[in-house]
Amino acid sequence: MRIKNIAFAIALMAISLHVSAQSSGRWSAEKAKQWYAQHPWINGANFIPSTAINQLEMWQADTFDPKTIDRELGWAGGLGFNTMRVYLHSLAYKQDPKGFKDRMGQYLTIANKHGIKTIFVFFDDCWNKMGFIGKQPAPQPGIHNSGWVQDPGDPASKDPANFPELEIYVKDVMTHFAKDKRVLLWDLYNEPGNSGKLDSSLPLLTKVFEWARAANTDQPISAGLWRWDFEKLNAVQIANSDVITYHNYEAPEWHKRVLQLLKTHDRPLICTEYMARTKNSTFANTMPMLKDQKIGAINWGLVAGKTNTIYAWDTPIKDGGQPTDWFHDIFWPDGRIYRTAETDLIKKLNNK
């Protein structure tokens, strides 16, 4: 979202006024900085294999695809990427808790082989309201994320009757991997309030921080800021995150304003979503800026595939033809590079 006036500064200043409400157990700023200093510059992509249309197709036993995951993470490792952000789904866990955790472990083994750590994401307010177990739909031609599903969905996320089951899920997964060094960070809730949910996501957001803190993991927890006018949600996210994560698909001059204000919280920063070519958020104009300011850089998209994220959010191409410029993603499914100037830059920034 592009905000060019005083409302931007007012909204972010409002976040600062609420940080005193932080929960017990939040890492100190010093501990967060020490954790961050132990890692090389964090950079990579949001990852789903090209053969999966959504989180369920990635994680269900019948469609879990370690061969493709291995191949595509190999391409990521070749760029020097050291981190992938990966979405989970509570329905896949509910169907098969043990198998779900086993597949997470298998994924982590593959990623670790390629020198890649993982940020796992739990809940999500984006895209289709209802997920379902079983065979997932085919992609709709030319439509960005036509099959992606919210977690736990709508209205499920608003109903406190669902919270005990979700609590079991979060605590079980986090406790199982609590000391696993292959997990970099836990991202508890992607874009709370999206899809018109607004502050109705506040109760679940608050609870997931409580559940995560109770798991007592070695890894930090966070939930990324993304809408600067969502004051109540932002206040909870800032007050409870050990490391501040955020999304920004704006041109660098506006992205830089976000950085200048978020830095006032004196905690490590990781941009967990950026890079939308037709919005003027590119590797060339954003990734070097983030490295220079020692901020983690996780772009959206690695390999073009069933998610259709080469197409822009608001610009479908009904016949499924190639867009003039890919919105996201770096590789074709066969491993060809979309733009070698971009991959050359990524390698250079990673000293590859």
Side-chain angles (χ1 to χ4, degrees):
M1 185 176 62
R2 189 167 177 170
I3 300 174
K4 299 184 181 180
N5 53 42
I6 193 65
F8 169 82
I10 292 172
L12 273 177
M13 289 299 290
I15 296 171
S16 298
L17 294 175
H18 290 280
V19 295
S20 60
Q22 73 182 58
S23 67
S24 61
R26 187 195 191 199
W27 286 13
S28 67
E30 290 70 26
K31 181 176 179 179
K33 291 174 187 176
Q34 289 171 5
W35 171 86
Y36 197 70
Q38 292 171 3
H39 300 282
W41 176 53
I42 293 166
N43 72 105
N46 283 264
F47 177 72
I48 185 169
S50 60
T51 51
I53 192 171
N54 60 24
Q55 315 94 303
L56 288 163
E57 194 161 40
M58 178 175 180
W59 290 111
Q60 289 181 147
D62 290 347
T63 47
F64 184 65
D65 187 356
K67 183 177 179 180
T68 298
I69 291 169
D70 187 22
R71 180 175 64 251
E72 295 180 354
L73 291 186
W75 300 337
L79 298 178
F81 278 165
N82 56 36
T83 306
M84 293 289 126
R85 182 171 179 256
V86 178
Y87 286 71
L88 305 172
H89 203 287
S90 59
L91 289 180
Y93 171 86
K94 182 179 180 180
Q95 180 191 36
D96 177 17
K98 182 182 183 302
F100 180 81
K101 289 181 290 184
D102 288 346
R103 288 186 287 279
M104 286 180 65
Q106 189 175 353
Y107 169 86
L108 288 170
T109 297
I110 295 168
N112 188 63
K113 181 179 74 171
H114 296 293
I116 291 170
K117 293 186 181 293
T118 301
I119 297 172
F120 281 125
V121 185
F122 280 103
F123 301 136
D124 186 7
D125 278 353
C126 291
W127 304 107
N128 294 296
K129 290 185 175 183
M130 300 292 291
F132 55 89
I133 290 296
K135 183 177 175 59
Q136 298 301 299
Q140 297 179 43
I143 296 178
H144 180 108
N145 260 336
S146 66
W148 197 269
V149 288
Q150 296 178 31
D151 186 11
D154 189 0
S157 65
K158 305 171 186 175
D159 186 353
N162 294 319
F163 291 4
E165 189 172 62
L166 296 172
E167 179 179 4
I168 291 170
Y169 160 55
V170 170
K171 287 183 175 179
D172 185 25
V173 169
M174 292 187 70
T175 301
H176 187 81
F177 295 101
K179 297 186 181 301
D180 196 321
K181 296 184 182 302
R182 301 171 299 179
V183 178
L184 181 72
L185 179 148
W186 299 98
D187 190 344
L188 303 180
Y189 204 138
N190 181 70
E191 300 197 352
N194 206 336
S195 305
K197 290 171 135 179
L198 307 176
D199 288 347
S200 71
S201 297
L202 193 59
L204 181 57
L205 175 67
T206 303
K207 284 295 184 183
V208 70
F209 271 112
E210 293 177 10
W211 304 334
R213 196 65 70 190
N216 194 29
T217 62
D218 287 350
Q219 310 95 347
I221 63 175
S222 187
L225 302 166
W226 72 284
R227 273 281 299 264
W228 312 116
D229 55 339
F230 281 10
E231 293 183 20
K232 292 180 180 179
L233 293 164
N234 289 342
V236 171
Q237 289 164 259
I238 283 283
N240 291 279
S241 292
D242 300 320
V243 174
I244 296 175
T245 59
Y246 72 96
H247 300 171
N248 194 291
Y249 289 104
E250 298 174 299
E253 60 268 29
W254 304 109
H255 193 154
K256 188 173 182 180
R257 290 190 178 189
V258 172
L259 297 181
Q260 290 167 335
L261 285 162
L262 290 180
K263 281 182 175 182
T264 64
H265 294 286
D266 194 32
R267 286 180 178 266
L269 299 175
I270 303 173
C271 181
T272 49
E273 291 189 23
Y274 80 100
M275 211 291 288
R277 293 179 181 92
T278 59
K279 301 289 185 183
N280 197 27
S281 173
T282 68
F283 288 114
N285 66 19
T286 301
M287 195 174 182
M289 176 183 72
L290 294 175
K291 183 176 184 182
D292 182 63
Q293 301 204 31
K294 298 181 174 58
I295 293 166
I298 313 293
N299 70 274
W300 190 276
L302 184 69
V303 183
K306 292 174 76 173
T307 59
N308 275 349
T309 52
I310 64 171
Y311 302 99
W313 307 308
D314 52 1
T315 314
I317 299 178
K318 293 183 179 180
D319 65 2
Q322 285 289 308
T324 302
D325 293 293
W326 282 13
F327 195 60
H328 299 313
D329 301 316
I330 300 170
F331 294 98
W332 294 82
D334 60 6
R336 286 178 294 139
I337 295 166
Y338 174 57
R339 287 181 175 166
T340 56
E342 293 177 340
T343 54
D344 288 346
L345 172 64
I346 295 167
K347 289 179 181 179
K348 181 179 179 180
L349 291 171
N350 283 319
N351 301 314
K352 293 290 286 186

